[in-house]
């Protein structure tokens, strides 16, 4: 019986003893030392918000295209008997220069035939006028004489025949002139589809060319970029004016630049991209307005464009690293704490941001990263330093 009691109470005594020892140890444990030091402020790199005059610039891009381009079409039929050496891809076009000449024997014969028809019609008109004069004299005492008796319809018919003959002669001369194919502008060929000895019919496309007097570049513009230009939708510049534009591209392994002007804005927003397109022009891109390295602004080239926008007399400018997501900036308040502020951004690019509202000149902007930023947290600024900023980036 005693053994059974020992087996029953022994585990209970062990558990009770353990609990008692734990309670004694817990009651006698030493109190942890409490530190009176405050949280260490976070060190950040800063830059000063500047207020200064500024000319806004808008960066975009587009493809160079000719303002005038067309298919060269033969207006008469015949065999090609002469071809200009420049009638080839890339060939130079001079206004009025003969590019192709079609055999004109048939058209010269048609011109001679039309001239003979005019001479015959003139004789017929003279005869009709003479007959009318005789009839008028014979019937001068007949007040009721009819127009037919006075030969008036015959004269009208003779005049109509002469007019028709003269029109035929004019058409014959025009067809003869059209055997010589030329263009009214200076330009370049992009393709040719005819050669000497080939027979072409009226309406046959024999080549494609574009004018080199002016090239155009369509430039997409977002709403914020439109604000930087300060131009209305549907803007059209007076002749010879417009906002200055600098175009740049890498050609022949070297950076090239050209100058042009923004002359108009579309009157409607593109429904697919929700952007507005502007049109820039460059005059004489193949001779006068080449790049500083002598490279022409070639059709088909994709270029970067920098448009000079409006002039601000007093703008607040901060480094691009100081503008955070959601158009917010981190500032160091006068009491050394973090101030997270919403601002109204007028323009931003890879280098700087221009603030419209919400920021004053001289305020310290945080340009380095902050882990878990909290309004009012303690921070200490390190004056803006180019090396530190580069390291941070």
């Amino acid at each position: 019986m005693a053994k059974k009691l020992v087996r029953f109470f022994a585990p209970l005594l062990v558990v009770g003893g353990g609990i008692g020892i734990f309670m004694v140890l817990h009651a006698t444990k030493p109190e942890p030392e409490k530190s009176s030091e405050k949280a260490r402020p976070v060190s950040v790199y800063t830059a000063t918000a500047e207020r200064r005059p500024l000319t806004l610039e808008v960066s975009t891009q587009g493809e160079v295209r000719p303002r005038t381009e067309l298919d060269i079409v033969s207006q008469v039929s015949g065999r090609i008997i002469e071809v200009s050496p420049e009638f080839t891809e890339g060939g130079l076009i001079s206004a009025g220069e003969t590019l192709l000449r079609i055999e004109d024997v048939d058209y010269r014969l048609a011109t001679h035939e039309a001239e003979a028809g005019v001479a015959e019609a003139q004789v017929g008109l003279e005869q009709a006028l003479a007959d009318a004069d005789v009839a008028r004299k014979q019937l001068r005492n007949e007040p009721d004489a009819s127009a037919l008796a006075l030969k008036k319809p015959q004269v009208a018919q003779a005049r109509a025949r002469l007019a028709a003959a003269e029109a035929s002669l004019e058409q014959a001369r025009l067809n003869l002139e059209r055997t010589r194919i030329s263009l009214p502008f200076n330009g370049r060929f992009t393709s040719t589809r005819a050669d000497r000895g080939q027979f072409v019919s009226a309406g046959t496309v024999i080549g494609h060319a574009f004018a080199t007097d002016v090239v155009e570049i369509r430039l997409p513009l977002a709403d914020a970029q439109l604000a930087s230009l300060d131009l209305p939708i549907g803007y059209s510049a007076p002749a010879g004016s417009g906002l200055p534009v600098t175009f740049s591209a890498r050609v022949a392994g070297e950076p090239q630049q050209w100058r042009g002007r923004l002359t108009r804005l579309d009157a409607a927003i593109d429904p697919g991209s929700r952007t507005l397109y502007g049109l820039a022009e460059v005059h004489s891109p193949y001779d006068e307005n080449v790049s500083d390295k002598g490279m022409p602004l070639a059709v088909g080239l994709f270029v970067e464009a920098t448009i000079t926008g409006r002039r601000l007399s007093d703008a607040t400018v901060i480094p691009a690293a100081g503008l955070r997501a959601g158009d917010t900036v981190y500032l160091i308040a006068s009491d050394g704490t973090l101030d997270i502020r919403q601002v109204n951004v007028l323009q931003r690019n890879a280098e700087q941001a221009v603030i419209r509202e919400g920021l004053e000149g001289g305020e310290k902007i945080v340009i380095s990263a902050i882990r878990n930023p909290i309004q009012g947290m303690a921070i200490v600024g390190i004056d803006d330093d180019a090396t530190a900023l580069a390291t941070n980036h």
Side-chain angles (χ1 to χ4, degrees), residues 13 50 56 60 72 89 120 138-139 161 167 184 222-223 229 231 245 266 314 316 323 339 345 347 366 369 372 382:
L13 291 173
E50 299 181 57
L56 299 179
T60 180
I72 304 171
E89 287 82 353
E120 183 179 355
Q138 291 177 346
L139 300 174
R161 286 176 178 171
D223 184 69
L229 298 179
L231 295 177
V245 186
D266 284 358
D314 191 19
T316 303
L323 186 62
D339 180 14
V345 181
Q347 187 192 63
V366 178
N372 301 323
I382 303 174

Side-chain angles (χ1 to χ4, degrees), residues 116-169:
V118 169
E120 183 179 355
Q122 287 175 338
V123 171
L125 176 60
E126 293 296 331
Q127 182 66 51
L129 289 173
D131 293 344
D133 185 59
V134 171
R136 186 175 63 257
K137 291 178 180 178
Q138 291 177 346
L139 300 174
R140 61 179 177 274
N141 296 323
E142 297 291 337
D144 297 329
S146 66
L148 184 61
L150 294 173
K151 308 294 184 179
K152 292 182 179 179
Q154 290 85 336
V155 173
Q157 183 182 41
R159 291 186 188 278
R161 286 176 178 171
L162 177 59
E166 290 175 342
S168 297
L169 176 59

